[in-house]
Amino acid sequence: MTTSVAEKPTAARTPARRRLHRPLLALTFVMAGLALFCLCAMAFDDRMLLNESVWLKPMKFALAFVLYSFTLAWLLSFPHRGQRLTWWMGTIFAITGVLDVGFIVMQAARGTFSHFNSQDDAFNVIGQQVFMTGVPGLFLANLVIAVALSWQKVTDRPMTRAIHAGLAIAVAGMAVAYAMGFSGKQETTDAYGHPVELVAGHTFEAGQPTVRDGVGGMPITHWSTTGGDLRIAHFLGLHGIQILIVAALLLPRLARRVPWLRTERARADMIWVLALTYAGVFGVVAWQAFRGQALIHPDATTLTAFGAVAAVLVVGTALVYAIRGRSTATVLTAPVTAAVPRRESVSPISR
């Protein structure tokens, strides 16, 4: 009598779970903790630099890094070609971010400036060298990630376009910050009243006053109300990617009420329209700053430029409606979903 041996069932292949880029995720948590620390420090430390708390700048940097590093950690979790390269670029971004913001924090604790500080004490001289090396490191790491992902479809079409356009705008936002070095010298004092020469600043203003930064600052941000503050364009550029990603997530919900948005192509085209509009706003704000004009005091030329950007949004939306609206009748009645990642194995290096 022969006995048959039951065939061992084969284990079903389960797709690897996406994991956020760990060094960037760690940077996110570190910066979140730093932001909380700075907020508490402002309540007990009354030292001021250019009419703002010494802890305001490190807090703003910490919050910016929380948003941007988490966004990078999330988008690098999508399966894509060149994962080893982008993983290392993300890691370089995280390490460099800690070094750069760490220097900003140390200078705040010392009651002096981190950016453009020409003091000749040993700590500042060494710190400025580290700082001047780290800033290009952040820019180049982000640039490599942007180029590596720019030709790939990492998720559905609308989200992919949001990522591509957002990274490109972020690169421009980082690049425009280098122009601050041409704004001219400033003469001011540190938190203890000691004179400090800054080799540059954030603000362009006619007549090049001795002090331009921190004069007539806006609430909370302390952006200039008397001159063209390039920090505004820098901020808009860096965080455009979050705006576009949120738009890509919201469009499917809007499509439930707007029939012509129910096709993926229509939503992808709308992302291009929104990206062009956002890039236009970024460009006008940067141009306004270079002209030495405060954001809240636009002249007729600036208002005309903003009007042209608004026209891009209106005309672009109308074109998408005219072209894609015709195919609405062929859309299936299945629920519209957003950014469903492709189920593929993920390289171990990204875990």
Side-chain angles (χ1 to χ4, degrees):
M1 179 176 171
T2 60
T3 58
S4 60
V5 180
E7 186 178 349
K8 187 177 181 179
T10 56
R13 288 186 179 181
T14 56
R17 201 176 84 186
R18 285 173 52 211
R19 294 188 180 181
L20 299 178
H21 188 285
R22 288 186 175 179
L24 286 170
L25 191 60
L27 177 63
T28 302
F29 286 119
V30 168
M31 292 300 166
L34 174 61
L36 182 60
F37 169 80
C38 292
L39 185 63
C40 295
M42 283 191 287
F44 298 97
D45 190 342
D46 60 358
R47 292 178 300 165
M48 306 286 283
L49 287 173
L50 292 175
N51 301 316
E52 65 181 38
S53 169
V54 295
W55 296 107
L56 182 61
K57 174 175 281 189
M59 187 179 77
K60 289 193 291 187
F61 268 82
L63 291 174
F65 268 93
V66 166
L67 287 173
Y68 200 80
S69 58
F70 182 79
T71 301
L72 278 184
W74 172 79
L75 72 88
L76 290 182
S77 70
F78 286 100
H80 58 273
R81 295 182 180 88
Q83 281 184 263
R84 185 176 295 273
L85 173 63
T86 58
W87 188 90
W88 280 110
M89 290 300 103
T91 302
I92 290 172
F93 188 96
I95 294 172
T96 308
V98 169
L99 291 175
D100 281 3
V101 179
F103 176 66
I104 294 172
V105 172
M106 291 300 297
Q107 291 291 77
R110 297 176 68 227
T112 190
F113 298 89
S114 53
H115 288 67
F116 315 122
N117 192 337
S118 63
Q119 288 178 297
D120 57 3
D121 63 280
F123 186 89
N124 184 65
V125 171
I126 296 172
Q128 291 295 334
Q129 292 300 318
V130 174
F131 201 53
M132 291 171 63
T133 303
V135 171
L138 289 170
F139 174 75
L140 291 175
N142 190 74
L143 178 61
V144 171
I145 292 172
V147 171
L149 297 180
S150 64
W151 54 277
Q152 301 187 52
K153 183 181 179 183
V154 294
T155 177
D156 70 354
R157 189 180 282 110
M159 184 62 73
T160 295
R161 288 187 179 180
I163 291 171
H164 290 172
L167 283 172
I169 295 172
V171 168
M174 290 184 182
V176 79
Y178 284 97
M180 294 177 186
F182 300 95
S183 63
K185 293 182 179 180
Q186 297 186 90
E187 299 288 342
T188 184
T189 58
D190 63 17
Y192 304 104
H194 303 140
V196 178
E197 182 184 75
L198 304 178
V199 297
H202 306 102
T203 308
F204 292 80
E205 190 171 348
Q208 293 295 92
T210 303
V211 178
R212 301 179 304 281
D213 292 343
V215 178
M218 299 180 195
I220 302 175
T221 63
H222 284 246
W223 292 332
S224 177
T225 59
T226 61
D229 198 326
L230 206 53
R231 288 176 295 185
I232 305 171
H234 181 56
F235 173 85
L236 289 175
L238 284 179
H239 300 297
I241 187 170
Q242 286 95 24
I243 300 296
L244 292 175
I245 286 173
V246 169
L249 291 172
L250 292 179
L251 280 177
R253 296 180 179 273
L254 183 61
R256 297 170 186 172
R257 296 176 178 271
V258 183
W260 61 272
L261 284 175
R262 289 179 185 169
T263 64
E264 187 182 83
R265 286 183 177 276
R267 297 195 302 277
D269 288 347
M270 275 307 303
I271 290 297
W272 277 134
V273 172
L274 293 174
L276 284 173
T277 302
Y278 194 92
V281 171
F282 163 76
V284 172
V285 170
W287 176 58
Q288 186 182 18
F290 286 129
R291 292 164 57 219
Q293 185 180 102
L295 178 71
I296 61 174
H297 299 301
D299 60 12
T301 303
T302 302
L303 291 174
T304 301
F306 278 122
V309 173
V312 169
L313 177 61
V314 173
V315 173
T317 303
L319 286 174
V320 175
Y321 171 75
I323 296 171
R324 299 301 181 191
R326 299 172 185 172
S327 60
T328 302
T330 63
V331 177
L332 298 177
T333 57
V336 181
T337 57
V340 178
R342 293 179 294 162
R343 293 294 192 176
E344 297 179 10
S345 60
V346 181
S347 169
I349 195 70
S350 65
R351 297 184 180 177

